[in-house]
């Protein structure tokens, strides 16, 4: 029998035209993540509706895994396989837990397909489940329904990392129990095993604590800016009852996912202080915050506050069996501690010299409490700052990987979840239709390329790297559609980074295996982003404006797939002309284009660009760069809790200044701006002083148009309407002195910085 060893993910690739890579039929089965070892053998085995799933041991977990496999196959492939208990027979799928199974790792398994049938074997129920996940992927190689013929093969698999995590922020926006279960099911399908659940913050307290009912009666609700207007609810919030939490923990456990709760302290505590001001520093009761960012409210450091925290943790530990309990520790600005005589007196009493060291003492005290209850503290990398963190504390590195390196050198275990690379609130593309989020772009490829273990760590220190985690902060994700768009398909990249051996890292192979995963997402109605494959229709605007002819360039971010296009407005299909190299068109024309996988399935929805004079002279605000000085940039929706995913506006909260790129302006004599007013709900803490304030000549400020640069001549100044009246979206227009040739523009809002933010929906130059 010939055995063909497949090296990890080395799909054979053929170069198409213009740098586009087209995969030949991938010799590697479309598995995500790629297993540690995979051999394809001679022979085949067909699974059809008569193939039974045989449970070869009596464990309840084996039955549950068999039932999971039967259910997911029925849902995604229309294959309804009978489940049977009994001895391993031929022509069956046999699931067996066996203490003598070849792979010792409790999450590992073997899977063999021979002409006689399929066997999945593992020592532990987690491994058996992961084997079933792999088998399901083998049985869903494409979007078809019904029977599947598999190549004979053998897989021997186990994870690279023990911590394969995803964090969900359920505070800034709230997800239903059913939505969280959908996410957990997908985590399991990507072989992730740690769900870090961010449950408390300034903007809400989301976990029912029986001893402190005000935490959810008051702390779970905030009054949004524009409450009751512009589609905003009168109040925003919600919380998970203890029954909800037990249900989620059980649902996760059935998929071998540990839920690690996060109760953030000593900062990000405003909702708790709003509920129980006696455990805050000032004694004053704030409102639950509706401002994103860094708010000043800290917990107190007196014994009564620690009793409160310990009582809360008692209920948390009763709900969550996780060894690890996350206590946050991030972004606690110390102004309130510095200003409070009682806190300062406590520091003197303890002989503590700085507020950072006081935070170290605070976290250390909570860590010892967790230790005493058989749990372990995990916190964001600020927990290192005070040099008092318990030796067994685990550090989650988010400010880059420096915290991880420092922690591992000190002998702490670490989890790598650095911003921006593994922050899924960063957008994954920069086309105008990308959803709200933070910029810059963290693409599918940048997640895939994440170098897990920092190179400076030696082998002994590298052992402290428990694994990797991506974080889904939800300030800009008011709905679960936003969450799914942010998470998928980057979760597939994360899964491979976290699970597969380091030698598997193979971006072309990953891309070749992705179309099958997209079909799995579609079969389960997972709203994945197509940003990596969306076609960007490029042209030289100025040449087109000057000459009436344009050279069109089509590309997608990933540089993968075949791009097909039309010029008559019709929907492109694989039968439409295939893009090979830039081509010329005469204006006006509408270019529509889409990317397709080798099997003809669409990788992304078609994108369209109208090329005519008016369209070339009109730019979305998202295409305008920040002015020099600040590169911070968000894509925001008009209402923070909006139920839609569009429109989206590019905003620099530090400086309301944007640049129109050099544009051929012959014949342009007026400017029209679609403007929008947004709530300025950003707590910038010590960075507030960086917000640029400008003089204004009319009561509510103006939008000022400068020629070329922001120091250039003023071409127009358009007064803004009274923000207290009228719609938040409005149009501004002005005549411009006659322009010739290529010129850039600088657009500056001069509105007072204690009022709303302003953004540009679209700017158009008109005759
Ligand atoms: C964090 O992003 N503040 C951990």
């Amino acid at each position: 029998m010939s055995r063909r060893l497949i090296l990890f993910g080395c799909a054979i690739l053929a170069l198409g035209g213009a740098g586009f890579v087209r995969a030949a039929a991938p010799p590697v089965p479309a598995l995500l993540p790629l297993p540690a070892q995979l051999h394809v053998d001679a022979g085949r085995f067909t699974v059809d509706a008569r193939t039974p799933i045989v449970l070869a041991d009596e464990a309840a977990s084996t039955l549950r895994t068999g039932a999971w496999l039967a259910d997911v196959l029925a849902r995604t492939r229309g294959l309804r396989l009978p489940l049977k208990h009994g001895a391993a027979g031929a022509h069956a799928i046999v699931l067996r837990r066996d203490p003598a199974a070849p792979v010792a790792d409790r999450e590992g398994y073997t899977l063999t397909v021979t002409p006689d049938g399929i066997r999945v074997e593992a020592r532990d129920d987690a491994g058996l489940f992961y084997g079933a996940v792999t088998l399901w992927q083998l049985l869903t190689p494409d979007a078809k329904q019904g029977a599947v013929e598999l190549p004979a093969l053998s897989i021997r698999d186990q994870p690279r990392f023990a911590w394969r995590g995803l964090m969900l922020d359920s505070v800034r926006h709230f997800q239903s129990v059913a939505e969280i279960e959908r996410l957990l099911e997908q985590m399991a399908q990507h072989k992730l095993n740690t769900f870090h659940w961010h449950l408390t913050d300034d903007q809400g307290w989301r976990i029912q604590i029986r001893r402190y009912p005000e935490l959810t009666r008051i702390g779970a609700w905030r009054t949004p800016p524009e409450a009751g207007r512009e589609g905003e609810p009168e109040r925003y919030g919600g919380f998970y009852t203890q029954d909800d939490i037990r249900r989620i923990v059980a649902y996760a456990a059935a998929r071998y996912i540990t839920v690690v709760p996060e109760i953030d302290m000593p900062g990000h505590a405003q909702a708790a202080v709003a509920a129980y001001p006696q455990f805050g520093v000032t004694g004053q009761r704030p409102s639950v915050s509706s401002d994103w960012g860094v708010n000043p409210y800290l917990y107190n450091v007196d014994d009564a506050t620690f009793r409160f925290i310990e009582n809360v943790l008692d209920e948390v530990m009763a709900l969550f069996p996780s060894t690890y309990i996350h206590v946050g520790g991030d972004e606690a600005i110390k102004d309130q501690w510095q200003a409070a005589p009682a806190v300062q007196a406590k520091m003197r009493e303890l002989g503590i010299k700085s507020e950072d060291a006081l935070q170290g003492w605070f976290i250390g005290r909570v860590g010892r409490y967790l230790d005493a209850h058989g749990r372990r503290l995990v916190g964001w990398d600020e927990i290192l700052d005070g040099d008092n963190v318990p030796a067994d504390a685990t550090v989650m590195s988010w400010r880059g990987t420096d915290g991880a390196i420092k922690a591992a050198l000190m002998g702490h275990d670490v989890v790598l979840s650095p911003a921006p690379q593994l922050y899924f609130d960063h957008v994954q593309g920069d086309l105008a239709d990308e959803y709200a989020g933070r910029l810059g772009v963290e693409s599918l490829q940048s997640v895939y390329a994440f170098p897990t273990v920092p190179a400076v760590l030696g082998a002994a220190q590298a052992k402290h790297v428990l694994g990797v985690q991506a974080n889904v902060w939800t300030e800009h994700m008011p709905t679960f559609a936003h969450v799914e768009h942010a998470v998928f398909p980057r979760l597939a990249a994360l899964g491979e980074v976290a699970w597969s051996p380091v030698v598997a890292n193979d971006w072309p192979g990953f891309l070749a295996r992705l179309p099958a995963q997209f079909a799995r997402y579609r079969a389960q109605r997972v709203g994945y982003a197509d940003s990596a494959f969306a076609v960007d229709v490029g042209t030289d605007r100025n040449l087109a404006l000057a000459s009436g002819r344009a050279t069109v360039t089509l590309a997608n971010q990933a540089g993968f797939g075949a791009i097909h296009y039309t010029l008559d407005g019709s929907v492109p299909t694989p039968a439409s002309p295939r893009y090979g190299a830039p081509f010329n068109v005469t204006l006006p024309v509408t270019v529509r284009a889409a990317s397709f996988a080798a099997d003809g399935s669409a990788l992304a929805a078609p994108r369209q660009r109208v090329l005519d004079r008016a369209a070339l002279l009109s730019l979305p605000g998202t295409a305008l760069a920040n002015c020099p000085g600040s590169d911070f940039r968000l894509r925001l929706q008009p209402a923070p809790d909006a139920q839609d995913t569009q429109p989206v506006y590019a905003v620099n909260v530090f400086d309301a200044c944007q640049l129109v790129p050099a544009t051929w302006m012959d014949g342009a004599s007026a400017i029209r701006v679609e403007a929008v007013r947004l709530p300025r709900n950003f707590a910038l803490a010590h960075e507030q002083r960086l917000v640029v304030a400008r003089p204004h000549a009319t009561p509510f400020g103006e939008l000022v148009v400068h020629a070329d640069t922001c120091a250039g001549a003023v071409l127009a100044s358009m007064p803004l309407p009274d923000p207290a009246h009228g719609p938040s979206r409005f149009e501004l227009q002005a005549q411009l002195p006659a322009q010739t040739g290529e010129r850039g523009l600088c657009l500056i809002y001069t509105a007072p910085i204690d009022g709303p933010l302003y953004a540009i929906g679209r700017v158009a130059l008109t005759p």
Side-chain angles (χ1 to χ4, degrees):
M1 184 188 287
S2 85
R3 291 202 121 203
R4 194 151 57 91
L5 172 63
I6 294 202
L7 291 172
F8 310 102
C10 295
I12 293 165
L13 295 163
L15 273 181
F20 280 86
V21 176
R22 194 172 67 87
V28 177
L31 299 175
L32 284 158
L34 203 64
Q37 288 178 31
L38 166 67
H39 302 266
V40 174
D41 299 334
R44 315 196 69 79
F45 178 73
T46 297
V47 173
D48 61 26
R50 290 176 314 250
T51 312
I53 299 174
V54 175
L55 312 171
D57 68 77
E58 294 300 318
S61 59
T62 303
L63 172 59
R64 201 172 56 222
T65 290
W68 177 86
L69 178 62
D71 176 64
V72 73
L73 274 173
R75 286 191 287 116
T76 57
R77 189 76 189 183
L79 263 180
R80 276 161 229 292
L81 306 190
L83 267 181
K84 291 185 181 162
H85 278 282
H91 299 284
I93 293 168
V94 178
L95 304 182
R96 179 203 292 278
R97 243 187 26 174
D98 178 351
V103 180
D105 188 296
R106 58 170 291 279
E107 298 188 306
Y109 65 93
T110 57
L111 188 163
T112 55
V113 180
T114 70
D116 293 335
I118 299 174
R119 297 177 73 87
V120 182
E121 290 180 311
R123 292 196 190 182
D124 193 277
D125 28 336
L128 196 69
F129 178 78
Y130 291 128
V133 171
T134 300
L135 178 56
W136 164 65
Q137 293 189 348
L138 286 171
L139 294 172
T140 48
D142 51 41
K144 297 190 189 108
Q145 295 281 293
V148 189
E149 190 188 61
L150 295 181
L153 52 77
S154 65
I155 289 170
R156 191 187 165 107
D157 198 14
Q158 64 184 63
R160 179 173 179 211
F161 288 114
W163 186 301
R164 305 182 301 278
L166 184 71
M167 187 216 77
L168 178 67
D169 169 8
S170 292
V171 173
R172 276 50 175 266
H173 286 103
F174 182 76
Q175 305 83 25
S176 69
V177 171
E179 288 166 343
I180 290 177
E181 288 178 351
R182 269 176 73 75
L183 191 63
L184 289 165
E185 167 67 16
Q186 289 304 318
M187 284 179 64
Q189 291 182 18
H190 291 78
K191 299 194 172 92
L192 299 182
N193 67 354
T194 306
F195 177 59
H196 167 178
W197 197 7
H198 187 76
L199 283 166
T200 72
D201 213 303
D202 301 313
Q203 298 81 6
W205 183 282
R206 304 265 176 255
I207 168 175
Q208 180 188 25
I209 300 294
R210 293 193 183 282
R211 191 168 175 143
Y212 299 107
E214 303 290 84
L215 285 172
T216 43
R217 193 183 70 81
I218 295 174
W221 304 96
R222 64 177 182 251
T223 304
E226 320 271 312
R229 292 172 50 191
E230 305 282 348
E232 282 287 269
E234 290 289 347
R235 65 174 197 166
Y236 182 92
F239 63 92
Y240 304 97
T241 65
Q242 296 205 344
D243 282 344
D244 289 339
I245 288 169
R246 277 187 282 270
R247 178 172 152 182
I248 285 173
V249 167
Y251 186 95
R255 287 157 183 76
Y256 304 95
I257 294 170
T258 302
V259 184
V260 176
E262 181 184 349
I263 307 296
D264 209 338
M265 61 188 82
H268 286 294
Q270 187 165 332
V273 177
Y276 292 97
Q278 63 269 40
F279 304 130
V281 180
T282 66
Q284 308 285 309
R285 186 193 293 274
S287 55
V288 176
S289 183
S290 58
D291 291 341
W292 316 136
V294 176
N295 289 276
Y297 282 87
L298 304 183
Y299 284 112
N300 207 339
V301 293
D302 60 350
D303 289 342
T305 301
F306 280 101
R307 264 196 306 283
F308 162 79
I309 288 171
E310 289 165 7
N311 290 334
V312 167
L313 289 175
D314 285 349
E315 293 194 34
V316 168
M317 288 187 283
L319 287 167
F320 294 92
S322 164
T323 302
Y324 292 96
I325 304 290
H326 202 301
V327 300
D330 57 320
E331 297 181 318
I333 53 165
K334 306 297 188 307
D335 303 41
Q336 291 191 342
W337 281 357
Q338 278 159 358
V343 175
Q344 294 298 314
K346 178 96 178 185
M347 282 170 62
R348 282 191 298 276
E349 178 197 319
L350 293 167
I352 287 176
K353 298 278 180 291
S354 72
E355 288 76 19
D356 277 348
L358 184 65
Q359 164 153 340
W361 170 84
F362 186 114
I363 295 290
R365 181 163 168 173
V366 174
R368 283 189 293 282
Y369 188 77
L370 292 173
D371 274 351
H373 291 77
R375 307 300 180 98
R376 291 182 65 175
L377 179 148
V378 52
W380 301 110
D381 54 58
E382 287 97 330
I383 66 171
L384 293 171
D385 287 354
D387 291 330
N388 190 22
V389 61
D392 70 344
T394 296
V395 174
M396 191 169 272
S397 182
W398 75 278
R399 296 176 297 179
T401 49
D402 291 354
I405 293 166
K406 179 175 168 193
L409 293 174
M410 288 165 68
H412 292 286
D413 286 347
V414 300
V415 175
L416 299 164
S417 63
Q421 215 169 346
L422 297 184
Y423 266 44
F424 284 180
D425 54 337
H426 278 251
V427 296
Q428 51 200 310
D430 56 6
L431 296 187
D433 60 10
E434 185 60 53
Y435 286 17
R438 294 180 78 127
L439 286 143
V441 171
E442 292 303 326
S443 67
L444 183 61
Q445 184 168 14
S446 70
V447 174
Y448 191 80
F450 179 65
T452 40
V453 178
V456 299
L457 297 182
Q461 293 138 357
K463 286 208 176 68
H464 285 296
V465 177
L466 299 183
V468 291
Q469 175 174 300
N471 296 330
V472 185
W473 299 105
T474 57
E475 284 91 336
H476 312 301
M477 300 181 204
T479 71
F480 195 64
H482 288 85
V483 171
E484 287 196 326
H485 181 93
V487 168
F488 304 101
R490 290 187 291 197
L491 199 71
L494 178 74
E496 187 139 315
V497 166
W499 178 282
S500 303
V502 67
V503 288
N505 194 285
D506 171 27
W507 171 241
F510 174 81
L511 287 173
R513 287 176 277 123
L514 202 53
Q517 185 60 32
F518 280 7
R520 293 179 199 119
Y521 289 152
R522 286 194 295 274
Q524 300 174 85
R525 301 188 189 289
V526 172
Y528 64 96
D530 66 2
S531 315
F533 307 102
V535 177
D536 187 13
V537 181
T539 193
D540 182 333
R541 285 166 65 238
N542 292 327
L543 197 63
L545 283 166
S547 71
R549 289 179 56 74
T551 301
V552 173
T553 309
L554 304 179
N556 65 37
Q557 183 196 67
F560 177 74
I563 295 179
H564 294 267
Y565 66 93
T566 66
L567 300 177
D568 60 3
S570 64
V571 176
T573 70
S576 308
R578 167 131 186 227
Y579 179 74
F583 58 89
N584 296 322
V585 292
T586 303
L587 274 47
V589 67
T590 297
V591 184
R592 273 182 108 172
S595 312
F596 296 90
D599 64 359
S601 64
L603 290 165
R607 300 302 202 271
Q608 161 173 318
R609 183 162 179 194
V610 176
L611 296 175
D612 64 18
R613 217 182 133 65
L616 289 164
L617 284 170
S618 164
L619 289 171
T622 50
L624 312 185
N626 281 10
C627 297
S630 166
D631 57 6
F632 183 78
R633 193 166 156 106
L634 301 169
R635 292 171 62 97
L636 296 179
Q637 296 189 249
D641 309 311
Q643 292 300 295
D644 307 328
T645 57
Q646 298 287 341
V648 171
Y649 298 90
V651 177
N652 173 1
V653 299
F654 289 96
D655 190 7
C657 178
Q658 282 182 282
L659 300 172
V660 176
T663 298
W664 183 263
M665 291 212 187
D666 277 23
S669 61
I671 185 166
R672 195 176 66 233
V673 176
E674 291 169 22
V676 66
R677 197 166 53 232
L678 306 165
R680 190 185 289 271
N681 60 327
F682 295 88
L684 300 175
H686 302 151
E687 297 188 345
Q688 180 63 40
R689 63 190 164 75
L690 302 177
V691 177
V692 179
R694 292 193 170 83
H696 48 97
T698 56
F700 312 112
E702 307 80 32
L703 178 61
V704 181
V705 182
H706 294 265
D708 303 316
T709 70
C710 302
V714 173
L715 299 181
S717 179
M718 298 171 271
L720 298 172
D722 182 350
H725 302 289
S728 62
R729 284 183 236 178
F730 52 91
E731 202 166 276
L732 299 168
Q733 296 199 53
Q735 297 297 308
L736 296 177
Q739 303 293 316
T740 54
E742 276 186 34
R743 306 203 73 167
L745 300 173
C746 168
L747 306 181
I748 301 179
Y749 282 113
T750 61
I753 62 170
D754 57 358
L757 286 168
Y758 290 87
I760 293 170
R762 182 165 280 282
V763 54
L765 297 163
T766 59

PDB file of all heavy atoms in Angstrom, residues 653-656 688-694 751 753:
ATOM      1  N   VAL A 653     -11.177  60.880  17.271  1.00  0.00           N
ATOM      2  CA  VAL A 653     -11.776  61.601  18.401  1.00  0.00           C
ATOM      3  C   VAL A 653     -10.834  62.657  18.965  1.00  0.00           C
ATOM      4  O   VAL A 653     -11.246  63.485  19.766  1.00  0.00           O
ATOM      5  CB  VAL A 653     -12.237  60.646  19.532  1.00  0.00           C
ATOM      6  CG1 VAL A 653     -13.300  59.680  19.021  1.00  0.00           C
ATOM      7  CG2 VAL A 653     -11.095  59.889  20.142  1.00  0.00           C
ATOM      8  N   PHE A 654      -9.580  62.644  18.539  1.00  0.00           N
ATOM      9  CA  PHE A 654      -8.639  63.650  19.036  1.00  0.00           C
ATOM     10  C   PHE A 654      -8.595  64.894  18.148  1.00  0.00           C
ATOM     11  O   PHE A 654      -8.174  65.946  18.583  1.00  0.00           O
ATOM     12  CB  PHE A 654      -7.224  63.056  19.151  1.00  0.00           C
ATOM     13  CG  PHE A 654      -7.118  62.062  20.268  1.00  0.00           C
ATOM     14  CD1 PHE A 654      -7.253  60.705  20.032  1.00  0.00           C
ATOM     15  CD2 PHE A 654      -6.917  62.489  21.569  1.00  0.00           C
ATOM     16  CE1 PHE A 654      -7.175  59.789  21.064  1.00  0.00           C
ATOM     17  CE2 PHE A 654      -6.844  61.589  22.613  1.00  0.00           C
ATOM     18  CZ  PHE A 654      -6.974  60.232  22.366  1.00  0.00           C
ATOM     19  N   ASP A 655      -8.977  64.760  16.904  1.00  0.00           N
ATOM     20  CA  ASP A 655      -8.821  65.893  15.997  1.00  0.00           C
ATOM     21  C   ASP A 655      -9.776  65.727  14.810  1.00  0.00           C
ATOM     22  O   ASP A 655      -9.595  64.819  13.995  1.00  0.00           O
ATOM     23  CB  ASP A 655      -7.360  65.953  15.498  1.00  0.00           C
ATOM     24  CG  ASP A 655      -7.080  67.246  14.750  1.00  0.00           C
ATOM     25  OD1 ASP A 655      -7.956  68.131  14.735  1.00  0.00           O
ATOM     26  OD2 ASP A 655      -5.979  67.354  14.177  1.00  0.00           O
ATOM     27  N   ALA A 656     -10.760  66.634  14.727  1.00  0.00           N
ATOM     28  CA  ALA A 656     -11.800  66.514  13.689  1.00  0.00           C
ATOM     29  C   ALA A 656     -11.298  67.113  12.380  1.00  0.00           C
ATOM     30  O   ALA A 656     -11.809  68.127  11.903  1.00  0.00           O
ATOM     31  CB  ALA A 656     -13.071  67.193  14.156  1.00  0.00           C
ATOM     32  N   GLN A 688      -7.099  63.337  27.448  1.00  0.00           N
ATOM     33  CA  GLN A 688      -8.077  64.369  27.089  1.00  0.00           C
ATOM     34  C   GLN A 688      -7.356  65.642  26.607  1.00  0.00           C
ATOM     35  O   GLN A 688      -7.805  66.315  25.694  1.00  0.00           O
ATOM     36  CB  GLN A 688      -8.961  64.680  28.303  1.00  0.00           C
ATOM     37  CG  GLN A 688     -10.034  65.738  28.076  1.00  0.00           C
ATOM     38  CD  GLN A 688     -11.060  65.329  27.027  1.00  0.00           C
ATOM     39  OE1 GLN A 688     -11.480  64.171  26.965  1.00  0.00           O
ATOM     40  NE2 GLN A 688     -11.455  66.280  26.177  1.00  0.00           N
ATOM     41  N   ARG A 689      -6.191  65.932  27.231  1.00  0.00           N
ATOM     42  CA  ARG A 689      -5.470  67.166  26.858  1.00  0.00           C
ATOM     43  C   ARG A 689      -4.958  67.123  25.425  1.00  0.00           C
ATOM     44  O   ARG A 689      -4.551  68.149  24.880  1.00  0.00           O
ATOM     45  CB  ARG A 689      -4.325  67.410  27.838  1.00  0.00           C
ATOM     46  CG  ARG A 689      -3.291  66.332  27.800  1.00  0.00           C
ATOM     47  CD  ARG A 689      -2.252  66.380  28.907  1.00  0.00           C
ATOM     48  NE  ARG A 689      -1.574  65.089  28.948  1.00  0.00           N
ATOM     49  CZ  ARG A 689      -0.665  64.691  28.066  1.00  0.00           C
ATOM     50  NH1 ARG A 689      -0.284  65.489  27.089  1.00  0.00           N
ATOM     51  NH2 ARG A 689      -0.130  63.481  28.159  1.00  0.00           N
ATOM     52  N   LEU A 690      -4.962  65.947  24.802  1.00  0.00           N
ATOM     53  CA  LEU A 690      -4.485  65.851  23.414  1.00  0.00           C
ATOM     54  C   LEU A 690      -5.572  66.205  22.395  1.00  0.00           C
ATOM     55  O   LEU A 690      -5.292  66.301  21.202  1.00  0.00           O
ATOM     56  CB  LEU A 690      -3.979  64.427  23.133  1.00  0.00           C
ATOM     57  CG  LEU A 690      -2.851  63.921  24.038  1.00  0.00           C
ATOM     58  CD1 LEU A 690      -2.495  62.483  23.693  1.00  0.00           C
ATOM     59  CD2 LEU A 690      -1.625  64.833  23.908  1.00  0.00           C
ATOM     60  N   VAL A 691      -6.801  66.389  22.874  1.00  0.00           N
ATOM     61  CA  VAL A 691      -7.875  66.711  21.930  1.00  0.00           C
ATOM     62  C   VAL A 691      -7.662  68.138  21.417  1.00  0.00           C
ATOM     63  O   VAL A 691      -7.473  69.074  22.198  1.00  0.00           O
ATOM     64  CB  VAL A 691      -9.258  66.584  22.617  1.00  0.00           C
ATOM     65  CG1 VAL A 691     -10.371  66.992  21.662  1.00  0.00           C
ATOM     66  CG2 VAL A 691      -9.458  65.153  23.103  1.00  0.00           C
ATOM     67  N   VAL A 692      -7.679  68.281  20.103  1.00  0.00           N
ATOM     68  CA  VAL A 692      -7.369  69.572  19.485  1.00  0.00           C
ATOM     69  C   VAL A 692      -8.610  70.470  19.502  1.00  0.00           C
ATOM     70  O   VAL A 692      -9.654  70.104  18.969  1.00  0.00           O
ATOM     71  CB  VAL A 692      -6.885  69.365  18.037  1.00  0.00           C
ATOM     72  CG1 VAL A 692      -6.585  70.698  17.374  1.00  0.00           C
ATOM     73  CG2 VAL A 692      -5.658  68.456  18.017  1.00  0.00           C
ATOM     74  N   ALA A 693      -8.485  71.635  20.151  1.00  0.00           N
ATOM     75  CA  ALA A 693      -9.572  72.627  20.155  1.00  0.00           C
ATOM     76  C   ALA A 693      -9.196  73.742  19.189  1.00  0.00           C
ATOM     77  O   ALA A 693      -8.027  74.105  19.076  1.00  0.00           O
ATOM     78  CB  ALA A 693      -9.748  73.187  21.559  1.00  0.00           C
ATOM     79  N   ARG A 694     -10.200  74.265  18.491  1.00  0.00           N
ATOM     80  CA  ARG A 694      -9.916  75.316  17.503  1.00  0.00           C
ATOM     81  C   ARG A 694     -10.902  76.465  17.679  1.00  0.00           C
ATOM     82  O   ARG A 694     -12.047  76.248  18.090  1.00  0.00           O
ATOM     83  CB  ARG A 694     -10.044  74.743  16.091  1.00  0.00           C
ATOM     84  CG  ARG A 694      -8.954  73.732  15.757  1.00  0.00           C
ATOM     85  CD  ARG A 694      -8.961  73.457  14.262  1.00  0.00           C
ATOM     86  NE  ARG A 694      -7.787  72.678  13.876  1.00  0.00           N
ATOM     87  CZ  ARG A 694      -7.709  71.357  13.980  1.00  0.00           C
ATOM     88  NH1 ARG A 694      -8.719  70.674  14.467  1.00  0.00           N
ATOM     89  NH2 ARG A 694      -6.617  70.723  13.607  1.00  0.00           N
ATOM     90  N   ALA A 751     -15.961  72.858  15.642  1.00  0.00           N
ATOM     91  CA  ALA A 751     -16.970  72.837  16.714  1.00  0.00           C
ATOM     92  C   ALA A 751     -16.291  72.699  18.079  1.00  0.00           C
ATOM     93  O   ALA A 751     -15.237  72.072  18.194  1.00  0.00           O
ATOM     94  CB  ALA A 751     -17.922  71.677  16.493  1.00  0.00           C
ATOM     95  N   ILE A 753     -15.033  71.434  21.592  1.00  0.00           N
ATOM     96  CA  ILE A 753     -14.736  70.036  21.910  1.00  0.00           C
ATOM     97  C   ILE A 753     -15.482  69.544  23.158  1.00  0.00           C
ATOM     98  O   ILE A 753     -15.325  68.400  23.557  1.00  0.00           O
ATOM     99  CB  ILE A 753     -13.215  69.781  22.046  1.00  0.00           C
ATOM    100  CG1 ILE A 753     -12.635  70.612  23.188  1.00  0.00           C
ATOM    101  CG2 ILE A 753     -12.507  70.052  20.735  1.00  0.00           C
ATOM    102  CD1 ILE A 753     -11.199  70.227  23.514  1.00  0.00           C
TER     103      ILE A 753
END
